[in-house]
Amino acid sequence: MSNTKNILMLPGDGIGPEVMNEVKKVIDWSNDKRDTGFKVEEDLVGGACYDAHKVAVTDETMEKAHAADAVLLGAVGGPQYDNDPDMPRNQRPEAGLLRLRKELDLFANLRPALVFDALIDSSSLKPELIRGLDIMIVRELTAGVYFGEPRGEELRDGVRYGLDTQVYNEHEIDRVARVAFELAKKRDNKVTSVEKANVMESGIFWRKIVKEVHDADYSDVELSNMYADNCAMQLVRWPGQFDVIVTDNLFGDLLSDCAAMLTGSLGMLPSASLGTKDPETGKIPSMYEPVHGSAPDIAGQGKANPLATLLSHSMMLRYSFDMIEDADMLDQAVQNVLARGLRTGDIMSDGMTEVSTSGMGDALIEELEKLN
Ligand code: NAD
């Protein structure tokens, strides 16, 4: 990879552009003060793209996404699109996201569940259960029951059936297992592989392939298996037992939302979606985005919490550019602004100081300045 790091920024709809503005400030600061060499190109996605081009993402933007070193996305969607009967289904705002994920083959979705000390009271669980919590959920994103064939509705002997198919091949499990083992090696060295091998054939197969990958290349990482229903229970009973959880598309969808809520607020949750590393260039196709949506109820009011998007940017530094020191510094700056008692409305509590979206971004820059 050359020294210049090309980022394609897709702010999207609703609060997307507002939270992305704060990331731009951080990128400008780091180019200026830490010589990070980021080059940012901005483009449209979702409803904003539909308004301009009648598609959720254009072919030109897709080309830029393939060429970029990483994609950073805000959020897509809004009531004007949800309620538009004339909008073709395959051009709805989410179709832009799905096309990016599919064509970049982003098969591993990383969803950290991190509890910040300053926000410990935002969780519905007791503080002693979640203090210092740091779980990484790796969800398989491009296969399984959301994509398996046959799917749809069919008639069998005069009776209507609705069907989806849970199916995985060995390569799809192998590659996502490797992502989980690699992550664990840089963390607490523990992977919990989650399926329902007690009742699903594909679950037995999932468990078998994960074990094969483990025994062949990662026997130094601690591996355990857990049924998905038990995992949901354990996440609220004793979340501290987990380090990295790897699971399929459907269970990952449910468990990552469950784990996310241990941390209290949607405005604090980042994510990364990664593809296969190019062995020659070392580039990993990747897209980083906050977990929250476009929050139309607060869009344009300066109320959005930009921290989920800033933490997504930190994941980009870590996983796409191996800039561990810069990522740690940004994570620490987030801790510091929270410790100063600054809060956007969504995480506001008694005795704290409410700040706007840009107020939070400015405070973050101040903290970065001190840490640098
Ligand atoms: P949402 O995440 O947009 O909002 C849920 C609630 O959380 C709202 O009250 C909102 O104000 C609040 N919230 C969310 N993010 C926040 C932030 N950063 N700071 C402060 N408060 C925040 O979910 P929704 O309301 O179900 O969906 C709104 C639109 O977003 C819909 O069109 C939906 O399809 C879309 N959506 C997009 C994505 C995505 O782009 N990845 C994800 C989920 C929903």
Side-chain angles (χ1 to χ4, degrees), residues 7 23 52 61 65 72 74 87 106 133 140 148 191 293 318 340 368:
I7 302 177
V23 178
T61 307
L72 190 59
M87 178 177 254
L106 306 176
L133 189 74
E140 199 292 324
V191 170
R318 204 175 287 283
R340 268 167 64 184
L368 285 170

Side-chain angles (χ1 to χ4, degrees), residues 13 15 19 73-82 92-94 97 101 265-268 289-299 303-309 344-347 357:
D13 307 319
I15 60 169
V19 292
L73 188 133
V76 297
Q80 67 273 47
Y81 309 110
D82 294 342
R92 302 186 63 74
E94 313 83 69
L97 280 188
R101 286 179 188 157
S265 171
L266 211 47
M268 295 298 302
E289 53 184 315
V291 168
H292 62 72
S294 58
D297 53 332
I298 56 165
K303 289 183 180 167
N305 184 347
L307 295 179
T309 312
T344 42
D346 58 314
I347 51 173
T357 309

